[in-house]
Amino acid sequence: MMTNLFSVFDPSTSMGLPLNWLSSLLLLMFVPSMFWLIPSRLHFVWSSIMSSLHVEFKTLLNSNSMGSTLMFISLFIFIIFNNFLGLFPYIFTSTSHLSMTLALSFPMWISFMCYGWMNHTQHMFAHLVPQGTPSILMPFMVCIETISNLIRPGTLAVRLAANMIAGHLLLTLLGNQGPNSSSLILTLLISTQIMLLMLESAVAVIQAYVFAILSTLYSSETS
């Protein structure tokens, strides 16, 4: 039962090639239309989203340059697009796999740490001991802050993957009960799945925003 349940997240296909990972590249088919249909409604939507995100991220980064927030805006758009794609039938949810989420979080964390320790060494050491910490607790705080920094890429990746896979598993469990249910139960199942899809849509946006915001906060701590 569990093997069949989790098989919906299997990245392999019957052809022997992981072609369903190509769903992450579908964004390239939708975004270019804003460049040759200007001023299209899609262009206005993306512009408003990017402007709002730029205002949010520049406050955390203490920078007015659009280039400083471009990486985090692109990260948000990439994650939210893949999260929404997973809500459609027969489309592979790449953000539900740690191989994808770790590939997003780990390189960024490594680059932040390398930049911070190479260019702002004293500032990084100061972060290991919060202001006002008693002298007797300083060695413990250094250990705690070090562990906290080391698990950051893992927590980012696991949070995104776990939230994506949890809703999909619940929808799959409810969907498997439909064929053997009565009309009343089937109506309740469909209503519940519609509400869960609405919740999953909100989760898709929230998780993409949380991932981008936390990445921005980790970047701001090294500058």
Side-chain angles (χ1 to χ4, degrees), residues 120-137:
H120 305 283
T121 307
Q122 293 183 352
H123 181 71
M124 296 297 290
F125 274 119
H127 268 291
L128 296 178
V129 182
Q131 188 176 5
T133 304
S135 301
I136 192 173
L137 295 178

Side-chain angles (χ1 to χ4, degrees), residues 3 18 22 49 80 152 156 167:
T3 303
L22 293 178
I49 291 175
I80 194 174
R152 280 178 174 178
L156 275 178

Side-chain angles (χ1 to χ4, degrees), residues 55-65 68-69 216 220 223:
V55 172
E56 292 283 339
F57 294 156
K58 78 175 183 179
T59 304
L60 299 175
L61 293 173
N62 296 321
S63 174
N64 293 322
S65 173
S68 61
T69 61
T216 308
S220 64
S223 59

Side-chain angles (χ1 to χ4, degrees), residues 11-74:
S12 62
T13 62
S14 58
M15 298 175 60
L17 296 174
L19 296 179
N20 42 14
W21 284 102
L22 293 178
S23 63
S24 299
L25 301 179
L26 290 177
L27 178 64
L28 300 178
M29 299 175 59
F30 292 92
V31 172
S33 63
M34 75 173 65
F35 297 107
W36 54 270
L37 288 178
I38 293 176
S40 64
R41 293 185 180 183
L42 180 62
H43 172 73
F44 288 127
V45 169
W46 282 114
S47 297
S48 60
I49 291 175
M50 293 180 68
S51 299
S52 300
L53 291 174
H54 173 64
V55 172
E56 292 283 339
F57 294 156
K58 78 175 183 179
T59 304
L60 299 175
L61 293 173
N62 296 321
S63 174
N64 293 322
S65 173
M66 187 69 178
S68 61
T69 61
L70 183 59
M71 178 179 69
F72 303 105
I73 293 174
S74 303

